[in-house]
Structures are given as C-alpha cells and as structure tokens.
Amino acid sequence: MTETATGTDWQSWQESWDRQQEWYMPDREERFRVMLDMVEAVVGPEPRILDLACGTGSITDRLLKRFPNATSTGVDLDPALLTIARGTFDGDDRVTFVTADLKDPDWTERLPHTSYDAVLTATALHWLHSEPLAVLYGQLGGLVRDGGVFMNADRTIDPATPRINAAERAHRHAAMDRAKAAGALDWAEWWAVAAKDPVLAAPTAERFAIYGEHADGDMPSADWHARTLLASGFGEARAVWASPSDSLVLAVK
C-alpha cells in the first residue's frame, strides 16, 4: 500500500500492536530505552538509523520522539505491518520505508544510503535460522560505518542452563495466562482483528501467503550473537541488557 487510507486511526493500530507485543515481553519499553541510551552514548543524538525488520515502526517511533533530528530507514517484507508504518509516518520526511526480504542477497541495494550510524532491530531476527542470520550479520558488517553500532534485542536461549530456562518459561507463561484472562490479545488474535479491517485485510492476507503462521527460526544465545558479530567485522560485541529470557546485544564497528 503506497497511499494513506483516509480516516484510518494509525495511532490506534500502533498502540494495539504495542499491547500485543507487551503480552509476550512486559519489559519491552525498558529494552527500547537501553537501546536508545546506547545509540546516544556511542553515535550521538542525531543518528542516521536503519530500523531492520521494522514492523510497524516501533523503534523509529521511539527514536524520533527522543531524537527529533534523527533520520530512519525502515526495512521489512511484511505488507500489513508496513501499511501501518507508512500510514503512521506519512508526511514525515525523516522517515523512509523499504520493502525487502532480508534473505535476498541483494536487499541492501534497495536502501537509500550505503552506510548507517546505527542498525537497530528488536524481536524479529528469531525468524531466521542461524546460518542465514550469520550471513545477514556479515552484510551488516559492511553497512554500519566505522564507529557505528548494531543492536539486536530478541529472545535468546542458553542451552547450557535447561533448568533455569524451564523455570523462567513456566513463570512467564503463567503471567501471560493471567493477562490473557484479563483480555490481552495474543499474536493470532491480533492478526484475526487485522484481517477483518477494511484497510488491512488485503495486506494481511498477503503477509500470511509470504510467512505462514509464524517463523521456525532459531533463538541462539547472546554469546552466539556476540561471537558471530565479531566474526562479521565488528570490533566489540556483548550483551548490554538482559532479562531471564531476552538480551540486547550491542556491536561496535
């Protein structure tokens, strides 16, 4: 969709997406805060950002509210989430959106810039298996400028701690069950609502034709991400924030 649908309340769709994501990740805003703290610390308050697998533009939204002189390129393949993103930021010349498949070896050629101060992504790259994710990290090693950063906030699982993992998962799912009983929408329910919306119905059908119900990718440990980023041309990499189930891994070029 290239035009904004007249009368569509894009902000409501953004908020609805946020609530659905927070059902899975109640500390989502804390991850974003730390991410933007580290952007400011390393590359300053006026960065050129690549919002990787941007979805509805959640990172871009928080970036521009905090850093009004920043610019953002959002890249994604999901036609429904990109419809919401484009509607939300219509008329904002700080923001550009690009439709591209991150598994396409030439996806970077679609971008408006050849380098970025920061590449940021959250809750998206677990859609990729480890091998294509390592290939993607190699591409990002050439896309982030020297002194720039890459950050990935996502689910990370350490196979060396199975009892901790099981206890955390049981505790987290019990909390999710309580929130669900209080009316929270899960992933499938959110998409069912989107499929009935006059503006989002067609792009929602298209996105399910592309992706199916959900990813079957991997969730490697934070250490795996750091090692792979170092092998991809970054000079330093480590987790800068973690919960019992998620990590924010930062790499500096």
PDB file of all heavy atoms in Angstrom, residues 23-55:
ATOM      1  N   TRP A  23       2.392  -8.305  25.726  1.00  0.00           N
ATOM      2  CA  TRP A  23       1.884  -9.529  26.343  1.00  0.00           C
ATOM      3  C   TRP A  23       2.989 -10.584  26.397  1.00  0.00           C
ATOM      4  O   TRP A  23       3.108 -11.331  27.362  1.00  0.00           O
ATOM      5  CB  TRP A  23       0.680 -10.052  25.559  1.00  0.00           C
ATOM      6  CG  TRP A  23       0.069 -11.276  26.165  1.00  0.00           C
ATOM      7  CD1 TRP A  23      -0.583 -11.361  27.352  1.00  0.00           C
ATOM      8  CD2 TRP A  23       0.058 -12.597  25.602  1.00  0.00           C
ATOM      9  NE1 TRP A  23      -1.015 -12.658  27.574  1.00  0.00           N
ATOM     10  CE2 TRP A  23      -0.637 -13.432  26.509  1.00  0.00           C
ATOM     11  CE3 TRP A  23       0.541 -13.155  24.420  1.00  0.00           C
ATOM     12  CZ2 TRP A  23      -0.836 -14.786  26.271  1.00  0.00           C
ATOM     13  CZ3 TRP A  23       0.345 -14.507  24.181  1.00  0.00           C
ATOM     14  CH2 TRP A  23      -0.336 -15.307  25.103  1.00  0.00           C
ATOM     15  N   TYR A  24       3.815 -10.612  25.355  1.00  0.00           N
ATOM     16  CA  TYR A  24       4.945 -11.539  25.312  1.00  0.00           C
ATOM     17  C   TYR A  24       6.164 -10.991  26.056  1.00  0.00           C
ATOM     18  O   TYR A  24       6.954 -11.764  26.613  1.00  0.00           O
ATOM     19  CB  TYR A  24       5.346 -11.818  23.853  1.00  0.00           C
ATOM     20  CG  TYR A  24       4.294 -12.527  23.055  1.00  0.00           C
ATOM     21  CD1 TYR A  24       3.400 -11.817  22.273  1.00  0.00           C
ATOM     22  CD2 TYR A  24       4.183 -13.914  23.082  1.00  0.00           C
ATOM     23  CE1 TYR A  24       2.418 -12.462  21.529  1.00  0.00           C
ATOM     24  CE2 TYR A  24       3.205 -14.572  22.350  1.00  0.00           C
ATOM     25  CZ  TYR A  24       2.323 -13.844  21.577  1.00  0.00           C
ATOM     26  OH  TYR A  24       1.350 -14.490  20.845  1.00  0.00           O
ATOM     27  N   MET A  25       6.339  -9.663  26.035  1.00  0.00           N
ATOM     28  CA  MET A  25       7.549  -9.028  26.579  1.00  0.00           C
ATOM     29  C   MET A  25       7.159  -7.829  27.435  1.00  0.00           C
ATOM     30  O   MET A  25       7.158  -6.693  26.960  1.00  0.00           O
ATOM     31  CB  MET A  25       8.457  -8.564  25.438  1.00  0.00           C
ATOM     32  CG  MET A  25       8.973  -9.693  24.572  1.00  0.00           C
ATOM     33  SD  MET A  25       9.589  -9.051  22.992  1.00  0.00           S
ATOM     34  CE  MET A  25       8.039  -8.532  22.217  1.00  0.00           C
ATOM     35  N   PRO A  26       6.820  -8.030  28.690  1.00  0.00           N
ATOM     36  CA  PRO A  26       6.383  -6.912  29.534  1.00  0.00           C
ATOM     37  C   PRO A  26       7.466  -5.863  29.767  1.00  0.00           C
ATOM     38  O   PRO A  26       7.153  -4.733  30.146  1.00  0.00           O
ATOM     39  CB  PRO A  26       5.975  -7.594  30.849  1.00  0.00           C
ATOM     40  CG  PRO A  26       6.638  -8.929  30.829  1.00  0.00           C
ATOM     41  CD  PRO A  26       6.724  -9.329  29.399  1.00  0.00           C
ATOM     42  N   ASP A  27       8.739  -6.221  29.540  1.00  0.00           N
ATOM     43  CA  ASP A  27       9.840  -5.266  29.712  1.00  0.00           C
ATOM     44  C   ASP A  27      10.285  -4.663  28.377  1.00  0.00           C
ATOM     45  O   ASP A  27      11.400  -4.164  28.253  1.00  0.00           O
ATOM     46  CB  ASP A  27      11.031  -5.935  30.399  1.00  0.00           C
ATOM     47  CG  ASP A  27      11.377  -7.292  29.795  1.00  0.00           C
ATOM     48  OD1 ASP A  27      10.950  -7.563  28.657  1.00  0.00           O
ATOM     49  OD2 ASP A  27      12.072  -8.083  30.456  1.00  0.00           O
ATOM     50  N   ARG A  28       9.402  -4.662  27.388  1.00  0.00           N
ATOM     51  CA  ARG A  28       9.739  -4.186  26.043  1.00  0.00           C
ATOM     52  C   ARG A  28      10.222  -2.738  26.033  1.00  0.00           C
ATOM     53  O   ARG A  28      11.199  -2.401  25.366  1.00  0.00           O
ATOM     54  CB  ARG A  28       8.502  -4.347  25.145  1.00  0.00           C
ATOM     55  CG  ARG A  28       8.687  -3.994  23.676  1.00  0.00           C
ATOM     56  CD  ARG A  28       7.476  -4.499  22.911  1.00  0.00           C
ATOM     57  NE  ARG A  28       7.497  -4.157  21.496  1.00  0.00           N
ATOM     58  CZ  ARG A  28       6.765  -3.203  20.937  1.00  0.00           C
ATOM     59  NH1 ARG A  28       5.947  -2.463  21.704  1.00  0.00           N
ATOM     60  NH2 ARG A  28       6.826  -2.972  19.639  1.00  0.00           N
ATOM     61  N   GLU A  29       9.551  -1.868  26.780  1.00  0.00           N
ATOM     62  CA  GLU A  29       9.952  -0.463  26.783  1.00  0.00           C
ATOM     63  C   GLU A  29      11.321  -0.269  27.423  1.00  0.00           C
ATOM     64  O   GLU A  29      12.079   0.613  27.018  1.00  0.00           O
ATOM     65  CB  GLU A  29       8.910   0.398  27.501  1.00  0.00           C
ATOM     66  CG  GLU A  29       7.603   0.517  26.757  1.00  0.00           C
ATOM     67  CD  GLU A  29       7.745   1.137  25.370  1.00  0.00           C
ATOM     68  OE1 GLU A  29       8.620   2.012  25.181  1.00  0.00           O
ATOM     69  OE2 GLU A  29       6.992   0.732  24.464  1.00  0.00           O
ATOM     70  N   GLU A  30      11.653  -1.078  28.401  1.00  0.00           N
ATOM     71  CA  GLU A  30      12.976  -0.991  29.019  1.00  0.00           C
ATOM     72  C   GLU A  30      14.055  -1.347  27.998  1.00  0.00           C
ATOM     73  O   GLU A  30      15.116  -0.723  27.948  1.00  0.00           O
ATOM     74  CB  GLU A  30      13.047  -1.935  30.225  1.00  0.00           C
ATOM     75  CG  GLU A  30      14.412  -2.029  30.886  1.00  0.00           C
ATOM     76  CD  GLU A  30      14.833  -0.773  31.626  1.00  0.00           C
ATOM     77  OE1 GLU A  30      14.022   0.175  31.719  1.00  0.00           O
ATOM     78  OE2 GLU A  30      15.975  -0.740  32.113  1.00  0.00           O
ATOM     79  N   ARG A  31      13.803  -2.335  27.175  1.00  0.00           N
ATOM     80  CA  ARG A  31      14.759  -2.693  26.126  1.00  0.00           C
ATOM     81  C   ARG A  31      14.965  -1.521  25.172  1.00  0.00           C
ATOM     82  O   ARG A  31      16.103  -1.208  24.802  1.00  0.00           O
ATOM     83  CB  ARG A  31      14.274  -3.918  25.345  1.00  0.00           C
ATOM     84  CG  ARG A  31      14.088  -5.155  26.187  1.00  0.00           C
ATOM     85  CD  ARG A  31      13.895  -6.392  25.338  1.00  0.00           C
ATOM     86  NE  ARG A  31      12.901  -6.206  24.282  1.00  0.00           N
ATOM     87  CZ  ARG A  31      12.669  -7.083  23.317  1.00  0.00           C
ATOM     88  NH1 ARG A  31      13.381  -8.182  23.239  1.00  0.00           N
ATOM     89  NH2 ARG A  31      11.744  -6.869  22.414  1.00  0.00           N
ATOM     90  N   PHE A  32      13.859  -0.892  24.765  1.00  0.00           N
ATOM     91  CA  PHE A  32      13.978   0.251  23.861  1.00  0.00           C
ATOM     92  C   PHE A  32      14.756   1.393  24.508  1.00  0.00           C
ATOM     93  O   PHE A  32      15.559   2.068  23.849  1.00  0.00           O
ATOM     94  CB  PHE A  32      12.594   0.740  23.436  1.00  0.00           C
ATOM     95  CG  PHE A  32      11.873  -0.163  22.470  1.00  0.00           C
ATOM     96  CD1 PHE A  32      10.494  -0.317  22.557  1.00  0.00           C
ATOM     97  CD2 PHE A  32      12.546  -0.831  21.478  1.00  0.00           C
ATOM     98  CE1 PHE A  32       9.807  -1.122  21.660  1.00  0.00           C
ATOM     99  CE2 PHE A  32      11.878  -1.654  20.576  1.00  0.00           C
ATOM    100  CZ  PHE A  32      10.500  -1.792  20.673  1.00  0.00           C
ATOM    101  N   ARG A  33      14.505   1.639  25.799  1.00  0.00           N
ATOM    102  CA  ARG A  33      15.198   2.728  26.481  1.00  0.00           C
ATOM    103  C   ARG A  33      16.704   2.499  26.481  1.00  0.00           C
ATOM    104  O   ARG A  33      17.489   3.413  26.163  1.00  0.00           O
ATOM    105  CB  ARG A  33      14.703   2.866  27.923  1.00  0.00           C
ATOM    106  CG  ARG A  33      15.354   4.031  28.665  1.00  0.00           C
ATOM    107  CD  ARG A  33      15.066   3.996  30.155  1.00  0.00           C
ATOM    108  NE  ARG A  33      15.650   2.854  30.827  1.00  0.00           N
ATOM    109  CZ  ARG A  33      16.950   2.769  31.160  1.00  0.00           C
ATOM    110  NH1 ARG A  33      17.798   3.738  30.853  1.00  0.00           N
ATOM    111  NH2 ARG A  33      17.406   1.690  31.787  1.00  0.00           N
ATOM    112  N   VAL A  34      17.120   1.283  26.832  1.00  0.00           N
ATOM    113  CA  VAL A  34      18.552   0.983  26.862  1.00  0.00           C
ATOM    114  C   VAL A  34      19.134   1.071  25.452  1.00  0.00           C
ATOM    115  O   VAL A  34      20.247   1.583  25.254  1.00  0.00           O
ATOM    116  CB  VAL A  34      18.803  -0.397  27.492  1.00  0.00           C
ATOM    117  CG1 VAL A  34      20.281  -0.767  27.411  1.00  0.00           C
ATOM    118  CG2 VAL A  34      18.334  -0.413  28.941  1.00  0.00           C
ATOM    119  N   MET A  35      18.394   0.593  24.468  1.00  0.00           N
ATOM    120  CA  MET A  35      18.856   0.670  23.083  1.00  0.00           C
ATOM    121  C   MET A  35      19.152   2.117  22.682  1.00  0.00           C
ATOM    122  O   MET A  35      20.220   2.431  22.131  1.00  0.00           O
ATOM    123  CB  MET A  35      17.804   0.063  22.145  1.00  0.00           C
ATOM    124  CG  MET A  35      18.144   0.140  20.674  1.00  0.00           C
ATOM    125  SD  MET A  35      16.841  -0.582  19.632  1.00  0.00           S
ATOM    126  CE  MET A  35      17.166  -2.340  19.851  1.00  0.00           C
ATOM    127  N   LEU A  36      18.225   3.017  22.982  1.00  0.00           N
ATOM    128  CA  LEU A  36      18.418   4.413  22.600  1.00  0.00           C
ATOM    129  C   LEU A  36      19.466   5.093  23.471  1.00  0.00           C
ATOM    130  O   LEU A  36      20.177   5.994  23.005  1.00  0.00           O
ATOM    131  CB  LEU A  36      17.085   5.156  22.648  1.00  0.00           C
ATOM    132  CG  LEU A  36      16.044   4.668  21.636  1.00  0.00           C
ATOM    133  CD1 LEU A  36      14.771   5.500  21.744  1.00  0.00           C
ATOM    134  CD2 LEU A  36      16.580   4.699  20.212  1.00  0.00           C
ATOM    135  N   ASP A  37      19.595   4.681  24.731  1.00  0.00           N
ATOM    136  CA  ASP A  37      20.687   5.171  25.563  1.00  0.00           C
ATOM    137  C   ASP A  37      22.030   4.880  24.888  1.00  0.00           C
ATOM    138  O   ASP A  37      22.922   5.740  24.834  1.00  0.00           O
ATOM    139  CB  ASP A  37      20.682   4.496  26.933  1.00  0.00           C
ATOM    140  CG  ASP A  37      19.663   5.075  27.896  1.00  0.00           C
ATOM    141  OD1 ASP A  37      19.056   6.111  27.572  1.00  0.00           O
ATOM    142  OD2 ASP A  37      19.478   4.478  28.980  1.00  0.00           O
ATOM    143  N   MET A  38      22.186   3.672  24.370  1.00  0.00           N
ATOM    144  CA  MET A  38      23.459   3.272  23.785  1.00  0.00           C
ATOM    145  C   MET A  38      23.670   3.916  22.414  1.00  0.00           C
ATOM    146  O   MET A  38      24.813   4.191  22.031  1.00  0.00           O
ATOM    147  CB  MET A  38      23.549   1.751  23.702  1.00  0.00           C
ATOM    148  CG  MET A  38      23.558   1.065  25.066  1.00  0.00           C
ATOM    149  SD  MET A  38      24.757   1.772  26.247  1.00  0.00           S
ATOM    150  CE  MET A  38      26.301   1.480  25.387  1.00  0.00           C
ATOM    151  N   VAL A  39      22.598   4.178  21.696  1.00  0.00           N
ATOM    152  CA  VAL A  39      22.731   4.960  20.462  1.00  0.00           C
ATOM    153  C   VAL A  39      23.322   6.321  20.785  1.00  0.00           C
ATOM    154  O   VAL A  39      24.297   6.779  20.161  1.00  0.00           O
ATOM    155  CB  VAL A  39      21.371   5.118  19.756  1.00  0.00           C
ATOM    156  CG1 VAL A  39      21.440   6.184  18.663  1.00  0.00           C
ATOM    157  CG2 VAL A  39      20.920   3.796  19.143  1.00  0.00           C
ATOM    158  N   GLU A  40      22.728   6.987  21.773  1.00  0.00           N
ATOM    159  CA  GLU A  40      23.204   8.318  22.146  1.00  0.00           C
ATOM    160  C   GLU A  40      24.637   8.258  22.667  1.00  0.00           C
ATOM    161  O   GLU A  40      25.469   9.128  22.338  1.00  0.00           O
ATOM    162  CB  GLU A  40      22.288   8.919  23.209  1.00  0.00           C
ATOM    163  CG  GLU A  40      22.637  10.357  23.572  1.00  0.00           C
ATOM    164  CD  GLU A  40      21.623  10.968  24.519  1.00  0.00           C
ATOM    165  OE1 GLU A  40      20.941  10.207  25.242  1.00  0.00           O
ATOM    166  OE2 GLU A  40      21.508  12.208  24.524  1.00  0.00           O
ATOM    167  N   ALA A  41      24.951   7.256  23.449  1.00  0.00           N
ATOM    168  CA  ALA A  41      26.278   7.152  24.048  1.00  0.00           C
ATOM    169  C   ALA A  41      27.364   6.943  22.999  1.00  0.00           C
ATOM    170  O   ALA A  41      28.468   7.490  23.132  1.00  0.00           O
ATOM    171  CB  ALA A  41      26.305   6.000  25.058  1.00  0.00           C
ATOM    172  N   VAL A  42      27.071   6.166  21.969  1.00  0.00           N
ATOM    173  CA  VAL A  42      28.104   5.794  21.012  1.00  0.00           C
ATOM    174  C   VAL A  42      28.123   6.688  19.775  1.00  0.00           C
ATOM    175  O   VAL A  42      29.193   7.081  19.307  1.00  0.00           O
ATOM    176  CB  VAL A  42      27.960   4.305  20.595  1.00  0.00           C
ATOM    177  CG1 VAL A  42      29.067   3.914  19.618  1.00  0.00           C
ATOM    178  CG2 VAL A  42      28.000   3.397  21.818  1.00  0.00           C
ATOM    179  N   VAL A  43      26.953   7.029  19.217  1.00  0.00           N
ATOM    180  CA  VAL A  43      26.950   7.783  17.953  1.00  0.00           C
ATOM    181  C   VAL A  43      26.275   9.141  18.049  1.00  0.00           C
ATOM    182  O   VAL A  43      26.232   9.884  17.073  1.00  0.00           O
ATOM    183  CB  VAL A  43      26.311   6.959  16.807  1.00  0.00           C
ATOM    184  CG1 VAL A  43      27.085   5.687  16.578  1.00  0.00           C
ATOM    185  CG2 VAL A  43      24.836   6.660  17.082  1.00  0.00           C
ATOM    186  N   GLY A  44      25.722   9.492  19.227  1.00  0.00           N
ATOM    187  CA  GLY A  44      25.185  10.828  19.412  1.00  0.00           C
ATOM    188  C   GLY A  44      23.697  10.940  19.163  1.00  0.00           C
ATOM    189  O   GLY A  44      23.030   9.967  18.795  1.00  0.00           O
ATOM    190  N   PRO A  45      23.133  12.159  19.348  1.00  0.00           N
ATOM    191  CA  PRO A  45      21.682  12.356  19.332  1.00  0.00           C
ATOM    192  C   PRO A  45      21.077  12.672  17.963  1.00  0.00           C
ATOM    193  O   PRO A  45      19.891  12.967  17.892  1.00  0.00           O
ATOM    194  CB  PRO A  45      21.508  13.544  20.285  1.00  0.00           C
ATOM    195  CG  PRO A  45      22.747  14.355  20.069  1.00  0.00           C
ATOM    196  CD  PRO A  45      23.851  13.361  19.832  1.00  0.00           C
ATOM    197  N   GLU A  46      21.864  12.633  16.886  1.00  0.00           N
ATOM    198  CA  GLU A  46      21.328  12.914  15.551  1.00  0.00           C
ATOM    199  C   GLU A  46      21.721  11.806  14.567  1.00  0.00           C
ATOM    200  O   GLU A  46      22.274  12.068  13.500  1.00  0.00           O
ATOM    201  CB  GLU A  46      21.814  14.278  15.051  1.00  0.00           C
ATOM    202  CG  GLU A  46      21.399  15.437  15.945  1.00  0.00           C
ATOM    203  CD  GLU A  46      21.817  16.789  15.398  1.00  0.00           C
ATOM    204  OE1 GLU A  46      22.282  16.848  14.233  1.00  0.00           O
ATOM    205  OE2 GLU A  46      21.679  17.789  16.127  1.00  0.00           O
ATOM    206  N   PRO A  47      21.416  10.575  14.901  1.00  0.00           N
ATOM    207  CA  PRO A  47      21.923   9.469  14.086  1.00  0.00           C
ATOM    208  C   PRO A  47      21.085   9.203  12.836  1.00  0.00           C
ATOM    209  O   PRO A  47      19.902   9.513  12.773  1.00  0.00           O
ATOM    210  CB  PRO A  47      21.813   8.284  15.043  1.00  0.00           C
ATOM    211  CG  PRO A  47      20.597   8.612  15.863  1.00  0.00           C
ATOM    212  CD  PRO A  47      20.661  10.104  16.071  1.00  0.00           C
ATOM    213  N   ARG A  48      21.756   8.620  11.859  1.00  0.00           N
ATOM    214  CA  ARG A  48      21.053   8.005  10.718  1.00  0.00           C
ATOM    215  C   ARG A  48      20.885   6.530  11.063  1.00  0.00           C
ATOM    216  O   ARG A  48      21.857   5.804  11.239  1.00  0.00           O
ATOM    217  CB  ARG A  48      21.868   8.155   9.432  1.00  0.00           C
ATOM    218  CG  ARG A  48      21.242   7.411   8.239  1.00  0.00           C
ATOM    219  CD  ARG A  48      22.215   7.323   7.083  1.00  0.00           C
ATOM    220  NE  ARG A  48      22.410   8.625   6.467  1.00  0.00           N
ATOM    221  CZ  ARG A  48      23.360   8.876   5.562  1.00  0.00           C
ATOM    222  NH1 ARG A  48      24.208   7.919   5.209  1.00  0.00           N
ATOM    223  NH2 ARG A  48      23.459  10.079   5.021  1.00  0.00           N
ATOM    224  N   ILE A  49      19.637   6.097  11.169  1.00  0.00           N
ATOM    225  CA  ILE A  49      19.309   4.768  11.674  1.00  0.00           C
ATOM    226  C   ILE A  49      18.732   3.890  10.556  1.00  0.00           C
ATOM    227  O   ILE A  49      17.940   4.354   9.729  1.00  0.00           O
ATOM    228  CB  ILE A  49      18.263   4.874  12.801  1.00  0.00           C
ATOM    229  CG1 ILE A  49      18.852   5.614  14.011  1.00  0.00           C
ATOM    230  CG2 ILE A  49      17.754   3.495  13.226  1.00  0.00           C
ATOM    231  CD1 ILE A  49      19.986   4.913  14.668  1.00  0.00           C
ATOM    232  N   LEU A  50      19.093   2.621  10.574  1.00  0.00           N
ATOM    233  CA  LEU A  50      18.381   1.610   9.810  1.00  0.00           C
ATOM    234  C   LEU A  50      17.568   0.794  10.799  1.00  0.00           C
ATOM    235  O   LEU A  50      18.120   0.135  11.683  1.00  0.00           O
ATOM    236  CB  LEU A  50      19.350   0.704   9.046  1.00  0.00           C
ATOM    237  CG  LEU A  50      18.694  -0.429   8.251  1.00  0.00           C
ATOM    238  CD1 LEU A  50      17.795   0.119   7.150  1.00  0.00           C
ATOM    239  CD2 LEU A  50      19.734  -1.364   7.660  1.00  0.00           C
ATOM    240  N   ASP A  51      16.246   0.879  10.682  1.00  0.00           N
ATOM    241  CA  ASP A  51      15.313   0.117  11.523  1.00  0.00           C
ATOM    242  C   ASP A  51      15.071  -1.200  10.800  1.00  0.00           C
ATOM    243  O   ASP A  51      14.261  -1.292   9.877  1.00  0.00           O
ATOM    244  CB  ASP A  51      14.026   0.936  11.698  1.00  0.00           C
ATOM    245  CG  ASP A  51      13.065   0.322  12.694  1.00  0.00           C
ATOM    246  OD1 ASP A  51      13.271  -0.835  13.094  1.00  0.00           O
ATOM    247  OD2 ASP A  51      12.075   0.998  13.046  1.00  0.00           O
ATOM    248  N   LEU A  52      15.800  -2.233  11.213  1.00  0.00           N
ATOM    249  CA  LEU A  52      15.863  -3.504  10.497  1.00  0.00           C
ATOM    250  C   LEU A  52      14.709  -4.408  10.912  1.00  0.00           C
ATOM    251  O   LEU A  52      14.500  -4.642  12.097  1.00  0.00           O
ATOM    252  CB  LEU A  52      17.201  -4.177  10.803  1.00  0.00           C
ATOM    253  CG  LEU A  52      17.575  -5.407   9.995  1.00  0.00           C
ATOM    254  CD1 LEU A  52      17.922  -5.034   8.556  1.00  0.00           C
ATOM    255  CD2 LEU A  52      18.761  -6.117  10.652  1.00  0.00           C
ATOM    256  N   ALA A  53      13.978  -4.940   9.905  1.00  0.00           N
ATOM    257  CA  ALA A  53      12.763  -5.707  10.184  1.00  0.00           C
ATOM    258  C   ALA A  53      11.847  -4.859  11.054  1.00  0.00           C
ATOM    259  O   ALA A  53      11.439  -5.240  12.152  1.00  0.00           O
ATOM    260  CB  ALA A  53      13.087  -7.045  10.834  1.00  0.00           C
ATOM    261  N   CYS A  54      11.504  -3.687  10.540  1.00  0.00           N
ATOM    262  CA  CYS A  54      10.923  -2.596  11.329  1.00  0.00           C
ATOM    263  C   CYS A  54       9.499  -2.832  11.785  1.00  0.00           C
ATOM    264  O   CYS A  54       9.038  -2.189  12.723  1.00  0.00           O
ATOM    265  CB  CYS A  54      10.981  -1.299  10.525  1.00  0.00           C
ATOM    266  SG  CYS A  54       9.966  -1.307   9.007  1.00  0.00           S
ATOM    267  N   GLY A  55       8.765  -3.730  11.132  1.00  0.00           N
ATOM    268  CA  GLY A  55       7.372  -3.927  11.510  1.00  0.00           C
ATOM    269  C   GLY A  55       6.567  -2.655  11.372  1.00  0.00           C
ATOM    270  O   GLY A  55       6.610  -1.986  10.337  1.00  0.00           O
TER     271      GLY A  55
END
